[in-house]
Structure formats: C-alpha cells, structure tokens
Amino acid sequence: MKGILYLEDGTIYKGKGFGKIGTTVGELVFNTSMTGYQEILTDPSYAGQIITMTYPLIGNYGINKEENESSKIFAKGFVVKSISDNPSNYLSENTIDNMLKDMGVVGVYDIDTRSITKKIRKSGALKCVISNEDLSIDELKKYIKENELKGDWMKEVGTKEIIHIPGKGERVAVLDFGIKRNIIRNLKHYDCDITIFPYGSSYEEIIEAKPAGVFLSNGPGNPKEAVEGIETVKKLVGKLPIFGICMGHQILALALGGDTYKMKFGHRGGNHGVYDKETDKAYITAQNHGYAVDGKSVEEKDMIITHVNLNDGTVEGMRHSKLPIFSVQFHPEGAPGPGDSAYLFDKFINQIKEEM
C-alpha cells in the first residue's frame, strides 16, 4: 500500500501506508521520545495533529490496553520511518498497524522523518495531508485547501459529564481540557476524592462540589480558544489552591491577565531539560505543547517564574507571589517520559492541607 505526505509548501514525501485506509489533514508536528508511542498517540493533547516520530523504529514492543492515556486516538495521523509487525514484549496484545486500523487513524511509514523534522524546525509546524489511498498530487492539493484546521479541540476530547472518583483524601476538582489518565493515577496515589468536570463547567458547579483544591489539566489547541475555561478559572483565583499542567498552565496565565503565544514548532518528547530556579536543580521532563506563556506578561500579574526551559529559555513554571497557585508547562506525570518532577503533586497536596 502506497503512502504519501504533502506539505502546504508543496514538499512531497513518498512512502508506504498502514493503519486505516484514507486521507487526512492536520498540523504536522514531531515528537522526540524513543519509547511511549502508544501513550503519545492516545494523549488527547494531540487532537487535530499529525505526529511524526523522530525515533526510527515504532511498534517493536507492541500495544496493550493498560498503556492508553485516553479512550481513543485523537491525533489525525501518524508518520514514522519504520514499523514493526512482529512486536516482542510479554505485555503485547496487538500491533501498531492494527491499533491504527481499530481506531480509524491513517498512517504512513518508510518516510524520511529526519528530513521532515529538520524542515519543521526551520519553517515551523506546517499544515499537511497524508494519504494511503494512492491519490494524485492535484487531488492532495485540493484536499489540503478544502480542509481547514480547527482551533478548539478541548470541547471534543474531554469528559461530557461530571465523573466522581471516591477517595478518603483531599477533595480535588479537575477541570478537564483533555486530561491524560496518568494525571488521574497520580491524584489517586494520594487517595484524593476526585471530581472531574467537563469543559465549560461553571464556577458555581465546581464550588457546589466543595473541593479543597482545583487542578487544571492538559489539552489540545490554542489556549485562547478556551474562553469558557478562562472565565471559570478567573472566578476560582483567590478562592482555592490551584495547580495547572500544560494547557492548564496556559489557561491560568490568561485567566490572571497574562498572555500566551504560538511557538515555532513547540516542545514534544520525553527528554526536555528544565531548570527549577527555586531549588537550583535541573530535571529531564516530558512535554507536549505548541504554545507558551509570555513571562513578562504574568510577572506583571504577581506571578513569579519558577521554571525555565534549558534549550530556549521559555517559561516552564510559575507561582503566585501571594496565593496558593502554581503551574508548570511540562508533564510531571510523564507517561511517556521521566517522573523526576512528580514532587509537584506533593506540593499541590501540601498546599491544600495548609489552606484547610
């Protein structure tokens, strides 16, 4: 089965197809993780995007039900150098090819992923179309022009109803912008009494649950599109301890009156160095984001920058100078990636206890 990738700038990459037979358009991004392809594919933060893996061999240890970070694949497509049809792992239950077929996701392999990554680093994230339907170049050009990229995926990827997970510990309200399961696992580790609220939940609905703290989750898309979420967080500021991760970090910045901006190609992978200014320590972190917080804009709103990226100096964490509010751009829960910064969940729980 033939496969092809066509970029909006006219660049063409030819290879072979796998997964669902079809054609799809999305924002082409790259991830530098060497393992964790299943968690990456099922991370809701990739909604609307076509993922290129820089590591050359994908699928070698198979697929299993336990490693999914959500109920399905929200990414639009998957681009890799090489796939394995004979995975070797005692937990393996499926192949990467069958997983994409089962979840209706188009894949292309035998593509020069190194060239694609270098192009994205130079030009920025690009709109592209991938197909394994043997379409002509003219058909691909027409397809990419007729299909626009959506902005607000947060309304689609999160829960549609309030979910309560009982626990004997602190009561935590989770605002779901596209949360990963491993974040919930981390909160359950502390035996938190968790209530997960859908995107667009009001301040009144959240307060009615009588939480002792609020968690703002990760999620896909442009944080400025989350108008309802930003307004809700504005009302929560000063009322309860708040901890935000990734999209939650960006939404918190906007709710406080700060600003965010689209990065050239973002940070995606499990090997990003972050410096914690307050502990004078560096951590390797997992990341997945295409937007960042404008540091100067939040410093003017009583926020202190606590973490910075060691590669480009972008804001990776902040805390309020007076209120029990903090957030990070990276993923302390990993999955995939290191758990070096899991101490941040301790910090959140301790802040809740101090405020009670």
Side-chain angles (χ1 to χ4, degrees), residues 94-113:
N94 207 346
T95 66
I96 188 72
D97 183 28
N98 286 335
M99 181 189 187
L100 263 62
K101 285 176 180 174
D102 293 343
M103 296 196 179
V105 178
V106 178
V108 176
Y109 76 103
D110 202 17
I111 294 279
D112 188 349
T113 52

Side-chain angles (χ1 to χ4, degrees), residues 90-356:
Y90 76 102
L91 293 174
S92 179
E93 301 170 336
N94 207 346
T95 66
I96 188 72
D97 183 28
N98 286 335
M99 181 189 187
L100 263 62
K101 285 176 180 174
D102 293 343
M103 296 196 179
V105 178
V106 178
V108 176
Y109 76 103
D110 202 17
I111 294 279
D112 188 349
T113 52
R114 181 177 176 82
S115 174
I116 290 172
T117 302
K118 290 173 71 176
K119 174 173 277 293
I120 294 173
R121 283 182 60 87
K122 182 178 180 180
S123 304
L126 295 163
K127 183 181 179 183
C128 84
V129 55
I130 62 171
S131 177
N132 50 30
E133 292 185 293
D134 200 19
L135 300 182
S136 69
I137 300 301
D138 286 339
E139 287 174 309
L140 293 174
K141 286 180 180 178
K142 183 180 179 183
Y143 200 93
I144 200 170
K145 286 180 181 178
E146 292 179 349
N147 289 271
E148 294 297 321
L149 300 181
K150 290 180 59 176
D152 186 359
W153 284 95
M154 288 168 272
K155 292 180 179 177
E156 297 187 23
V157 301
T159 181
K160 302 299 184 290
E161 58 187 12
I162 295 174
I163 300 172
H164 181 229
I165 303 172
K168 297 178 181 178
E170 284 66 39
R171 296 171 66 88
V172 175
V174 174
L175 274 66
D176 184 3
F177 302 111
I179 197 166
K180 290 169 59 184
R181 286 177 177 169
N182 206 43
I183 291 175
I184 300 298
R185 292 186 196 108
N186 272 268
L187 293 173
K188 287 172 69 176
H189 172 74
Y190 296 90
D191 200 19
C192 291
D193 187 89
I194 304 165
T195 305
I196 305 174
F197 289 89
Y199 177 96
S201 294
S202 68
Y203 166 79
E204 291 74 19
E205 287 175 304
I206 294 165
I207 292 299
E208 189 177 339
K210 297 180 180 178
V214 176
F215 178 85
L216 311 177
S217 86
N218 63 295
N222 184 346
K224 291 181 180 177
E225 297 283 345
V227 177
E228 296 164 79
I230 294 167
E231 288 303 312
T232 297
V233 176
K234 279 183 182 179
K235 295 177 182 178
L236 289 166
V237 169
K239 305 295 192 301
L240 294 164
I242 298 175
F243 175 28
I245 287 178
C246 201
M247 176 61 75
H249 163 77
Q250 297 163 8
I251 288 174
L252 178 61
L254 294 169
L256 291 165
D259 197 13
T260 59
Y261 61 93
K262 186 172 176 61
M263 304 172 76
K264 187 174 181 180
F265 51 81
H267 299 152
R268 298 175 180 87
N271 49 9
H272 290 263
V274 165
Y275 176 60
D276 185 334
K277 297 167 70 175
E278 299 192 318
T279 63
D280 192 30
K281 291 182 179 179
Y283 298 92
I284 299 300
T285 69
Q287 302 202 12
N288 173 22
H289 62 104
Y291 291 81
V293 169
D294 181 321
K296 188 174 291 186
S297 73
V298 292
E299 285 178 320
E300 295 170 353
K301 305 297 179 181
D302 292 323
M303 296 300 285
I304 297 168
I305 305 304
T306 56
H307 299 72
V308 294
N309 189 282
L310 288 171
N311 291 324
D312 58 17
T314 51
V315 176
E316 292 282 0
M318 60 184 185
R319 68 173 175 84
H320 200 280
S321 61
K322 303 180 185 72
L323 301 172
I325 294 173
F326 73 102
S327 62
V328 291
Q329 182 62 77
F330 51 93
H331 284 264
E333 83 287 351
D340 299 18
S341 49
Y343 69 92
L344 293 166
F345 287 95
D346 282 324
K347 180 177 178 179
F348 179 48
I349 300 302
N350 288 334
Q351 280 195 345
I352 292 175
K353 289 179 178 178
E354 289 170 6
E355 294 295 314
M356 291 178 71

